[in-house]
């Protein structure tokens, strides 16, 4: 079982296909592809986001508080088998700084832990510390899987600073049914097929060469949450559907 901790800023940009294609050659002068991007190919990421019955965590997050937190289960396989490795992550954002802590288990172990609180046995201090945070989170909130989100990712690390990372996500797919990592990836798209969500993950400031290139290409910072966008689209469709149903009732009553 592995543990990793991340503390950084995450700055997001929504690129057109033309901007993406123009930026990549410049990026590759200063950065190297992620080891999972074999031969320059993308890799898949598959997530389950957990929330309360009334969607408190995402509603609170969309209000942009100083402090917010969320829980997700991540796999790099689809569909995932019970024995496949998955990452259970607790992600907190405090004043713009993202802190992510995660433990690695099998899908079977992670599901059992979230549902019953039964943890894999461990004598490692840091591992148990992360589980203590997860225990506290699950004590505060009664959560269930609420949203599935998958996407294709291309990632780069700085040649001189491996903590400097840039990722591009596309084909961002979400659904609020069949909430299992053991199912295939399917659902509706939350960005256009020609768009790429870029995230710059840094502990310090954006390098000057990258800041200049973003300005040259007219790429500007945006506020974007995959979970938040998927949830807002779901609420919109629910309201629109209910509105249509109400109109149908009016027509029937008049007739």
């Amino acid at each position: 079982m592995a543990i990793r901790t991340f503390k950084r800023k995450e700055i997001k940009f929504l690129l057109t296909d033309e901007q993406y294609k123009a930026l990549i050659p410049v990026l590759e002068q200063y950065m190297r592809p992620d080891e999972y991007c074999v031969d320059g190919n993308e890799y898949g990421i598959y997530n389950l986001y957990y929330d309360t019955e009334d969607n408190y965590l995402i509603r609170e997050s969309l209000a942009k508080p100083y402090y917010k937190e969320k829980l997700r289960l991540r796999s790099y396989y689809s569909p995932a088998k019970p024995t496949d490795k998955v990452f259970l992550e607790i992600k907190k954002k405090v004043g713009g700084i993202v802190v992510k802590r995660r433990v690695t288990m099998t899908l079977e172990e992670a599901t059992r832990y979230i549902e019953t609180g039964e943890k894999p046995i461990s004598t490692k201090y840091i591992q148990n510390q992360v589980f203590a945070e997860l225990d506290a989170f699950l004590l505060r909130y009664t959560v269930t899987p609420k949203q599935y989100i998958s996407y294709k990712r291309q990632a780069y690390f700085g040649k001189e600073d491996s903590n400097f990372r840039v990722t591009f996500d596309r084909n961002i797919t979400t659904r609020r049914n069949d909430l299992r990592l053991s199912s295939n990836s399917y659902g509706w798209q939350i960005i256009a097929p020609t768009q790429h969500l870029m995230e710059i993950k840094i502990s310090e400031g954006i390098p000057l060469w990258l800041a200049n290139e973003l300005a040259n290409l007219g790429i500007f910072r945006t506020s974007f949450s995959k979970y938040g966008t998927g949830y807002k689209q779901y609420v919109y469709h629910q309201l629109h559907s209910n509105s249509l149903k109400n109109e149908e009732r009016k027509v029937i009553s008049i007739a």
Side-chain angles (χ1 to χ4, degrees):
M1 186 181 299
I3 301 167
R4 296 192 67 186
T5 300
F6 305 87
K7 184 177 181 180
R8 62 198 180 195
K9 297 178 184 176
E10 295 182 351
I11 307 171
K12 300 178 182 180
F13 306 79
L14 204 55
L15 280 61
T16 65
D17 206 39
E18 291 75 16
Q19 291 171 323
Y20 166 77
K21 290 176 180 177
L23 180 60
I24 288 297
V26 178
L27 204 69
E28 290 180 341
Q29 296 178 37
Y30 300 90
M31 308 190 77
R32 56 181 174 80
D34 185 295
E35 62 180 305
Y36 295 106
C37 295
V38 181
D39 297 326
N41 294 321
E42 304 163 304
Y43 57 92
I45 298 179
Y46 313 91
N47 306 279
L48 279 183
Y49 284 79
Y50 288 78
D51 211 327
T52 62
E53 184 63 31
D54 62 354
N55 301 296
Y56 170 80
L57 294 171
I58 189 57
R59 290 190 292 104
E60 181 71 6
S61 177
L62 289 171
K64 299 187 183 301
Y66 181 79
Y67 172 83
K68 57 185 178 181
E69 57 187 342
K70 59 186 174 184
L71 181 71
R72 72 184 176 201
L73 186 62
R74 169 170 290 184
S75 173
Y76 293 95
Y77 304 96
S78 179
K81 299 188 294 293
T83 54
D84 282 338
K85 181 172 68 175
V86 295
F87 300 88
L88 183 60
E89 304 177 341
I90 182 167
K91 190 173 182 180
K92 305 177 183 181
K93 192 170 185 179
V94 186
I97 302 299
V98 175
V99 179
K100 184 169 72 173
R101 306 256 279 171
R102 69 187 192 183
V103 292
T104 305
M105 298 176 277
T106 66
L107 176 58
E108 185 176 41
E109 289 172 333
T111 302
R112 183 165 55 246
Y113 167 64
I114 295 170
E115 292 180 350
T116 70
E118 181 184 341
K119 295 186 285 286
I121 298 174
S122 172
T123 57
K124 296 181 179 179
Y125 172 77
I126 297 179
Q127 179 171 295
N128 290 328
Q129 185 181 46
V130 176
F131 268 121
E133 289 187 41
L134 291 166
D135 286 343
F137 180 96
L138 294 172
L139 186 62
R140 286 195 301 276
Y141 308 109
T142 300
V143 299
T144 57
K146 297 291 284 191
Q147 192 149 312
Y148 174 96
I149 299 177
S150 68
Y151 39 91
K152 295 295 184 181
R153 168 164 289 182
Q154 189 168 9
Y156 293 87
F157 287 88
K159 291 181 179 179
E160 298 182 0
D161 178 8
S162 60
N163 291 320
F164 169 45
R165 192 172 185 229
V166 177
T167 62
F168 298 91
D169 297 334
R170 67 172 189 87
N171 194 30
I172 305 175
T173 303
T174 187
R175 65 176 187 260
R176 291 181 68 87
N177 64 293
D178 190 15
L179 296 172
R180 299 175 297 169
L181 292 178
S182 57
S183 294
N184 287 315
S185 174
Y186 69 91
W188 75 85
Q189 305 292 304
I190 63 175
I191 62 174
T194 56
Q195 289 181 308
H196 304 259
L197 178 64
M198 179 175 75
E199 292 187 42
I200 298 177
K201 306 168 194 286
I202 49 173
S203 55
E204 302 297 334
I206 296 177
L208 183 59
W209 64 266
L210 181 53
N212 288 337
E213 193 60 27
L214 295 179
N216 291 337
L217 294 173
I219 299 172
F220 304 104
R221 182 175 181 172
T222 189
S223 175
F224 190 95
S225 160
K226 297 184 185 77
Y227 183 17
T229 301
Y231 174 70
K232 286 190 290 185
Q233 290 182 1
Y234 165 76
V235 170
Y236 172 81
H237 287 300
Q238 289 293 103
L239 292 173
H240 183 64
S241 176
N242 289 336
S243 176
L244 289 177
K245 289 177 182 178
N246 289 334
E247 289 300 317
E248 290 172 358
R249 292 192 189 100
K250 290 178 182 178
V251 171
I252 293 172
S253 65
I254 293 174

